[in-house]
């Protein structure tokens, strides 16, 4: 039996992690990652919106499908951000960490299980639960939802992620890839933050992301201002180039974006793995 | 067998061990004693692989501890002084979650031990006292069926009858293939249970000897006058208790607390005696 990775043992670790997912393992009210609360809050959001509308004297209008899709995906992403702290809070802590580290499985198996739980299982469970509740609410004669979730033509188009829908399918695939990698990158930041910080892990990771986002925005604005002022480039040049050769430009922009995302994900995976591997308790 | 060879360890710039050598063969319940901060818990963590030696090696059956390979982790259980328990869980659920990882785990043993320690296996941890939680964890640790069991202050929080139960359980459940290491300050709680005794000091091992050898080398005299040649003397009701070098080969009853004090106050002399 391999000491680095054994599929049977990995299955045991995953089953162990899933069993411990149960809310009974967390003191009620102490943690915010309770999946049930997430699903219920999402599912009742349209009801709450309609109630607020009625209270404000407006006629309750059904919540559009794309808005609910947005809420559903947002809930799933929030779940992915919370799982590291809620479920693996102890990995870098003296008390609980040693217990997890002493579990007879390899470090790689434990780490992969953590990634699978954070990136796939917990968000997917949240997504499925919320989907079912939303369908039930739409089915009931409450008129708070405007159609079922599957009654949508283009999801990314609504979010403005894929404004080139008329182009060959490859560009839509790339747009979906950018969205998926973006999600993985965002969630991995929280996995890394969970190994880095000892307390308030989600909040501190979020603060760091805001900080990085702020710096990147300021640099972008400065670079654009410099290009416009010093080099005399017209602001709408990029748009005009896009209109002339939409396909190739869009493809290149997407490729660069994807490349950056893959690079950052690789770095986050590497450093969070390194920290977990070298952790002393 | 646990083997520690030329091991150095430090927390950042604070050295804890410097070139220590220790061997823990199977078939004994070792007592790991030492003052606060000498590194008893650190030594247990090094054995578990929860810490990495700066220099030297620490192995269990030839497997490097800090690699924490599944094969090695399956053979060892470590019960720290404080454990973060899932409040809403119960001891039965706790062991149910661990059971798939330990091929020798026996639920019958666990339930029997829980009954003996008078703790309900289906009661939530949050409804238990610290002592009851500790007893649950002791039962869980001993039912996993591992060859190596490491306890850090196991009697902390236990009431007097529970301490006696702990000693009885450990004596009864102990098998020749087992190695149990108990790190404790409460030497009275484990008296007559631990043999050999290891006493740690800052950076070094002061004593590593079985009880028989200790009583061969040292004489524990009760109820006499205070002796000038005593390595340690303590006034008790009825006279002094003296620890002296056993030059005449007399038999005596070991007093671990007195031994500990004698060793700490006469480091060089003890080294000479046990060399």
């Amino acid at each position: 039996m391999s000491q680095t990775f054994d599929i049977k043992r990995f299955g045991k670790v995953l089953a162990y992690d899933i069993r411990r997912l149960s809310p009974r393992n967390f003191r009620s009210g102490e943690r915010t990652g309770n999946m049930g609360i997430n699903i219920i809050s999402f599912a009742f959001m349209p009801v709450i919106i309609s109630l607020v509308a009625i209270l404000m004297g407006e006629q309750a209008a059904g919540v559009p499908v794309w808005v609910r899709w947005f809420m559903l995906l947002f809930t799933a992403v929030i779940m992915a951000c919370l799982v590291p702290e809620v479920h693996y809070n102890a990995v870098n802590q003296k008390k609980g960490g040693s217990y997890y580290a002493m579990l007879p499985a390899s470090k790689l198996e434990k780490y992969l299980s953590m990634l699978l739980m954070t990136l796939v299982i917990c968000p997917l469970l949240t997504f499925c639960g919320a989907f079912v509740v939303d369908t039930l609410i739409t089915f009931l004669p409450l008129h708070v939802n405007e159609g079922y979730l599957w009654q949508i033509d283009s999801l990314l188009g609504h979010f403005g992620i894929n404004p080139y829908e008329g182009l060959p399918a490859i560009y839509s695939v790339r747009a979906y890839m950018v969205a998926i990698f973006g999600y993985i990158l965002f969630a991995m930041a929280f996995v890394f933050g969970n190994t880095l910080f000892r307390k308030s892990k989600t909040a501190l990771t979020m603060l760091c992301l805001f900080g990085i986002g702020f710096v990147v925005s300021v640099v972008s604005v400065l670079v654009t201002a410099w290009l416009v002022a010093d080099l005399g480039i017209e602001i709408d040049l990029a748009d005009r180039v896009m209109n002339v050769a939409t396909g190739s430009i869009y493809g290149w922009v997407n490729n660069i974006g994807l490349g950056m995302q893959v690079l950052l994900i690789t770095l986050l995976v590497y450093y969070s793995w390194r920290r977990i591997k070298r952790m002393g308790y | 067998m646990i083997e520690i060879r030329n091991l150095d360890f430090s927390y950042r710039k604070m050295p804890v061990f410097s070139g220590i050598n220790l061997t823990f063969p199977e078939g004994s319940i070792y007592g790991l004693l030492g003052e606060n901060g000498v590194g008893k818990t650190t030594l247990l963590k090094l054995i578990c692989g929860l810490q990495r030696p700066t220099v030297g090696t620490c192995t269990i059956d030839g497997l490097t501890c800090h690699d924490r390979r599944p094969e090695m982790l399956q053979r060892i259980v470590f019960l720290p002084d404080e454990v973060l328990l899932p409040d809403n869980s119960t001891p039965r659920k706790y062991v149910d979650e661990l059971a798939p990882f330990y091929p020798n785990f026996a639920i019958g043993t666990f339930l029997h031990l829980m009954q003996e320690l008078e703790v309900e296996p289906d009661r939530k941890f949050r409804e238990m006292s610290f002592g009851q939680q500790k007893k649950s964890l002791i039962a869980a640790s001993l039912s996993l069926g591992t060859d190596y069991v490491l306890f850090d202050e196991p009697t902390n929080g236990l009431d007097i009858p529970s301490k006696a139960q702990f000693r009885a359980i450990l004596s009864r459940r102990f098998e020749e293939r087992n190695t149990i290491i108990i790190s404790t300050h409460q030497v009275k709680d484990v008296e007559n249970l631990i043999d050999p005794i290891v006493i740690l000091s800052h950076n070094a091992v002061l004593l590593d000897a079985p009880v028989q050898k200790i009583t061969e080398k040292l004489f524990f005299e009760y109820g006499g006058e205070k002796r000038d040649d005593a390595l340690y003397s303590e006034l008790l009701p009825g006279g002094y208790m003296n620890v002296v070098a056993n030059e005449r080969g007399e038999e005596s009853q070991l007093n671990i607390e007195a031994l500990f004090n004698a060793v700490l106050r006469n480091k060089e002399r003890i080294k000479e005696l046990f060399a």
Side-chain angles (χ1 to χ4, degrees):
Chain A
M1 192 180 271
S2 165
Q3 294 298 302
T4 311
F5 188 83
D6 175 72
I7 191 74
K8 213 171 149 186
R9 209 169 43 223
F10 174 67
K12 283 183 192 173
V13 178
L14 195 59
Y16 171 84
D17 278 349
I18 291 171
R19 285 185 80 167
R20 287 176 67 84
L21 194 65
S22 156
R24 74 177 154 79
N25 283 334
F26 302 110
R27 197 178 294 159
S28 54
E30 191 185 56
R31 309 221 180 251
T32 50
N34 189 311
M35 220 183 289
I37 292 170
N38 265 292
I39 294 168
I40 291 164
S41 350
F42 163 77
F44 284 96
M45 201 65 88
V47 181
I48 295 164
I49 291 171
S50 297
L51 280 175
V52 171
I54 291 165
L55 284 173
M56 289 175 76
E58 306 273 333
Q59 197 180 353
V63 181
V65 176
W66 75 269
V67 172
R68 280 156 38 227
W69 264 107
F70 174 76
M71 283 154 57
L72 192 147
L73 292 173
F74 182 73
T75 314
V77 172
I78 291 290
M79 176 54 76
C81 302
L82 290 174
V83 171
E85 182 172 3
V86 171
H87 202 51
Y88 300 99
N89 185 45
V91 290
N92 61 348
Q93 289 179 356
K94 261 188 179 179
K95 271 192 191 175
S98 61
Y99 169 74
Y100 190 69
M102 288 301 290
L103 203 66
S106 73
K107 294 168 189 172
L108 182 65
E109 287 153 356
K110 290 175 199 170
Y111 181 65
L112 287 180
S113 172
M114 181 192 290
L115 291 191
L116 202 60
M117 289 289 287
T118 306
L119 298 172
V120 183
I121 294 174
C122 292
L124 194 66
L125 282 175
T126 310
F127 180 89
C128 294
F131 197 99
V132 169
V133 177
D134 183 272
T135 305
L136 283 174
I137 289 178
T138 312
F139 180 73
L140 295 172
L142 295 169
H143 308 295
V144 288
N145 285 346
E146 197 183 75
Y148 291 97
L149 282 169
W150 55 85
Q151 292 171 328
I152 189 163
D153 47 352
S154 164
L155 188 60
L156 290 186
H158 274 291
F159 299 152
I161 295 172
N162 187 10
Y164 302 95
E165 281 184 340
L167 294 171
I170 181 73
Y171 299 116
S172 273
V173 171
R174 280 206 187 115
Y176 274 100
M177 281 172 74
V178 168
I180 290 166
F181 279 115
Y183 159 71
I184 296 173
L185 178 60
F186 193 60
M188 275 309 302
F190 287 86
V191 173
F192 180 64
N194 189 49
T195 65
L196 194 65
F197 305 114
R198 289 198 187 270
K199 283 180 179 176
S200 308
K201 298 169 171 199
T202 310
L204 287 172
T205 308
M206 195 66 96
L207 267 175
C208 287
L209 289 178
F210 276 134
I212 292 167
F214 179 75
V215 170
V216 170
S217 307
V218 168
V219 170
S220 309
V221 168
L222 290 175
V223 168
T224 311
W226 174 72
L227 283 172
V228 171
D230 287 13
L231 299 179
I233 294 175
E234 293 173 36
I235 294 172
D236 63 346
L237 180 67
D239 280 349
R240 283 197 283 121
V241 172
M242 290 278 240
N243 286 333
V244 174
T246 320
S248 61
I249 294 286
Y250 183 59
W252 274 107
V253 170
N254 250 349
N255 284 344
I256 292 168
L258 270 176
M260 287 290 286
Q261 284 179 330
V262 170
L263 178 72
L264 290 171
I265 290 169
T266 311
L267 286 175
L268 286 172
V269 168
Y270 172 73
Y271 280 107
S272 51
W273 161 239
R274 205 173 102 125
R275 283 191 65 80
I276 283 180
K277 219 167 82 167
R278 295 184 174 190
M279 205 80 77
Y281 297 90
Chain B
M1 181 163 71
I2 299 170
E3 279 186 289
I4 294 169
R5 293 276 165 266
N6 303 317
L7 184 138
D8 284 11
F9 180 79
S10 55
Y11 285 109
R12 295 185 190 272
K13 285 181 181 174
M14 194 184 78
V16 181
F17 298 121
S18 175
I20 64 162
N21 289 291
L22 276 169
T23 308
F24 299 93
E26 295 88 353
S28 295
I29 302 177
Y30 294 85
L32 190 59
L33 314 177
E35 290 173 291
N36 291 328
V38 294
K40 298 188 295 296
T41 303
T42 303
L43 186 66
L44 295 184
K45 286 183 175 180
L46 282 160
I47 294 171
C48 292
L50 295 172
Q51 293 288 0
R52 179 190 286 258
T54 321
V55 177
T57 57
C58 178
T59 58
I60 292 182
D61 297 336
L63 299 165
T64 306
C65 297
H66 69 255
D67 286 345
R68 290 209 303 266
R69 290 157 69 94
E71 189 187 353
M72 170 251 171
L73 293 173
Q74 221 168 51
R75 297 180 199 182
I76 189 165
V77 61
F78 171 47
L79 179 59
D81 186 18
E82 285 185 332
V83 180
L84 190 70
L85 285 166
D87 279 359
N88 286 324
S89 192
T90 65
R92 193 194 293 269
K93 284 171 185 164
Y94 180 82
V95 293
D96 277 350
E97 284 168 358
L98 288 176
F101 295 95
Y102 296 91
N104 298 327
F105 169 74
I107 186 73
T109 305
F110 171 71
L111 294 173
H112 181 76
L113 290 175
M114 289 294 278
Q115 193 181 19
E116 205 168 330
L117 290 164
E118 293 164 15
V119 189
E120 295 164 46
D122 295 311
R123 197 167 165 197
K124 287 183 177 173
F125 281 120
R126 68 161 178 226
E127 292 163 0
M128 290 183 184
S129 67
F130 179 71
Q132 287 170 321
Q133 290 182 352
K134 199 75 180 250
K135 287 196 269 187
S136 307
L137 293 173
I138 289 170
S141 305
L142 292 172
S143 58
L144 293 177
T146 57
D147 293 343
Y148 301 92
V149 183
L150 275 53
F151 285 126
D152 192 10
E153 302 290 353
T155 54
N156 256 8
L158 298 191
D159 53 26
I160 294 166
S162 301
K163 286 176 183 179
Q165 282 167 335
F166 171 73
R167 284 192 295 268
I169 286 170
L170 224 54
S171 308
R172 209 176 46 250
R173 297 217 60 81
F174 180 72
E175 291 172 26
E176 277 307 302
R177 66 182 175 89
N178 289 144
T179 302
I180 299 177
I181 304 177
I182 302 173
S183 156
T184 187
H185 287 109
Q186 321 286 331
V187 286
K188 289 278 178 202
D189 295 346
V190 289
E191 210 156 23
N192 303 324
L193 181 70
I194 52 173
D195 183 12
I197 294 169
V198 178
I199 299 179
L200 295 178
S201 165
H202 292 284
N203 289 334
V205 178
L206 290 181
L207 179 80
D208 174 15
V211 170
Q212 194 188 344
K213 190 174 178 185
I214 294 169
T215 50
E216 272 171 23
K217 300 283 180 185
L218 297 171
F219 180 64
F220 296 83
E221 183 191 68
Y222 300 87
E225 293 291 313
K226 186 175 181 180
R227 286 174 56 167
D228 293 336
D229 61 342
L231 298 168
Y232 176 73
S233 296
E234 187 180 329
L235 181 61
L236 300 172
Y240 275 89
M241 190 208 52
N242 295 300
V243 181
V244 291
N246 193 2
E247 280 157 3
R248 288 182 290 180
E250 292 171 284
E251 280 187 12
S252 63
Q253 174 74 36
L254 170 72
N255 178 317
I256 299 182
E257 240 175 55
L259 167 75
F260 183 72
N261 286 318
V263 170
L264 281 189
R265 288 170 193 205
N266 304 274
K267 293 175 186 168
E268 290 308 315
R269 179 92 171 94
I270 291 290
K271 262 187 195 170
E272 281 169 27
L273 278 170
F274 285 85

